[in-house]
Amino acid sequence: MKKTKDLLTVAAVYLLAYAIGYSACLWVHAVVLKYFVFDVVATAVTFLFSVLFKNSSVYDPYWSLTPMVMSIPLFCTYGAFSFWQLLFLVVFNLWGLRLTLNWITTFTDFSYEDWRYRKFRDENGPAMWFFINFTGIHYVPTLVVFAGMLPLFRMVKTPLGVWSVFGILIMLFGIALEFFADRQMHAFLRSTTEKRVCRNGLWRYSRHPNYLGEISFWIGVFVTMLPYAKEFWWYGIGALSILVLFLSVSVPMMEKRQRSRRVDYEEYRAETSCLLLLPCRTKGDKVI
């Protein structure tokens, strides 16, 4: 009952954030700027409630939910809805729906907060924590994902063709990686209480297959547009930003945490690729 109540509270927060964001962008006519204003204002409202509830994980579903909320009206209003546009939109929202449902499944109630947020709060004073919370936890992800969505603003004006299938296949590859990596990790955590690493399935070939899936998805978004709007190659800044965010922040933080929690993590690091799916670097029982 508490989970249901807190989920409904989060849903109310997001409905309010989106309503205020929509009201703020009504007077903006430039399409990209209109959606940017919506995104920035909705993030501000979400941030205020994360402070009110003293729980920054209120923002957690924003990464996957808001792109869906923006993409559907964008294509409905400006898109030609060709077969390839429609296929792209379906795959794009499949990613968002899967990731959001995964968050709902793992969410317990407001007693839960992402370990990274607690770490930042505990290690910094109130003023520095407020700055980190506002910028690093809320606005950096918002701006990075918005940059990743820039190709969508070209797709609605561009008659996509069969070459789009390459980008869409990359997107599907990323979704599949995240799905199976999450399922395998959840199954492993339910089956054992030992403080050892998961080496099941994809985790045998990469230490962070879920991150690889997310990065691949956004690369696919960019590739889908590229053959039909090559002059907008610089829209790849979004996928590049997401790659940098994971390599410079997410991966190092998770590596440090796993070293302190898993007794065999150093051995696992020596044997297993960090990001790419590669064969285990062992020969017999010896690392080569």
Side-chain angles (χ1 to χ4, degrees):
M1 289 298 295
K2 189 166 190 321
K3 174 175 179 174
T4 301
K5 176 185 175 183
D6 289 351
L7 277 175
L8 290 173
T9 302
V10 173
V13 168
Y14 277 76
L15 286 173
L16 179 62
Y18 293 148
I20 295 175
Y22 176 74
S23 301
C25 74
L26 279 176
W27 315 109
V28 183
H29 298 293
V31 178
V32 177
L33 183 59
K34 177 188 287 287
Y35 281 82
F36 181 75
V37 170
F38 169 85
D39 203 5
V40 168
V41 172
T43 299
V45 177
T46 308
F47 168 74
L48 290 175
F49 277 96
S50 76
V51 173
L52 178 65
F53 294 140
K54 297 180 181 179
N55 189 325
S56 293
S57 278
V58 170
Y59 179 82
D60 284 352
Y62 196 93
W63 178 282
S64 57
L65 186 61
T66 304
M68 291 194 293
V69 170
M70 292 195 292
S71 67
I72 295 174
L74 175 66
F75 275 77
C76 288
T77 304
Y78 302 101
F81 268 102
S82 67
F83 170 78
W84 294 108
Q85 282 186 334
L86 185 59
L87 180 60
F88 170 84
L89 187 61
V90 168
V91 173
F92 186 83
N93 284 278
L94 175 64
W95 161 81
L97 182 62
R98 191 213 68 82
L99 208 55
T100 304
L101 289 175
N102 185 66
W103 174 81
I104 292 173
T105 302
T106 55
F107 176 81
T108 52
D109 51 45
F110 280 140
S111 65
Y112 166 82
E113 186 179 29
D114 191 288
W115 62 270
R116 290 164 293 191
Y117 308 158
R118 296 196 304 269
K119 174 181 172 65
F120 286 133
R121 182 186 286 109
D122 294 341
E123 292 180 354
N124 296 276
M128 180 56 69
W129 160 241
F130 182 90
F131 176 77
I132 293 172
N133 192 20
F134 182 78
T135 57
I137 294 175
H138 286 79
Y139 271 101
V140 167
T142 287
L143 296 176
V144 164
V145 170
F146 188 85
M149 288 185 63
L150 284 176
L152 275 68
F153 295 99
R154 289 305 310 171
M155 288 180 202
V156 297
K157 302 177 181 179
T158 305
L160 301 179
V162 69
W163 289 102
S164 300
V165 73
F166 292 105
I168 292 171
L169 286 174
I170 296 172
M171 292 167 65
L172 286 170
F173 170 75
I175 294 170
L177 266 185
E178 289 187 286
F179 173 77
F180 287 110
D182 287 344
R183 291 288 297 272
Q184 290 160 1
M185 178 57 75
H186 292 163
F188 171 78
L189 293 176
R190 286 195 300 267
S191 66
T192 183
T193 57
E194 293 186 11
K195 294 184 177 181
R196 295 186 175 275
V197 298
C198 174
R199 297 173 185 260
N200 299 340
L202 296 168
W203 299 89
R204 178 174 176 79
Y205 306 103
S206 170
R207 302 200 300 274
H208 306 284
N210 51 340
Y211 292 167
L212 175 62
E214 187 70 11
I215 293 166
S216 299
F217 173 81
W218 288 104
I219 291 174
V221 170
F222 171 63
V223 171
T224 302
M225 173 213 73
L226 190 58
Y228 304 96
K230 293 179 181 178
E231 68 274 21
F232 289 92
W233 58 268
W234 55 273
Y235 276 13
I237 189 67
L240 180 61
S241 298
I242 289 169
L243 173 63
V244 170
L245 178 65
F246 276 95
L247 291 182
S248 63
V249 179
S250 300
V251 169
M253 288 192 69
M254 183 58 73
E255 292 275 297
K256 184 176 180 180
R257 176 176 171 82
Q258 293 293 71
R259 285 180 184 176
S260 65
R261 290 167 57 89
R262 307 296 175 187
V263 295
D264 57 341
Y265 200 72
E266 288 301 329
E267 176 187 348
Y268 181 58
R269 287 184 74 247
E271 296 177 350
T272 311
S273 166
C274 178
L275 201 62
L276 299 178
L277 297 173
L278 297 174
C280 186
R281 297 191 295 268
T282 60
K283 186 176 182 180
D285 293 327
K286 296 181 180 180
V287 177
I288 59 171

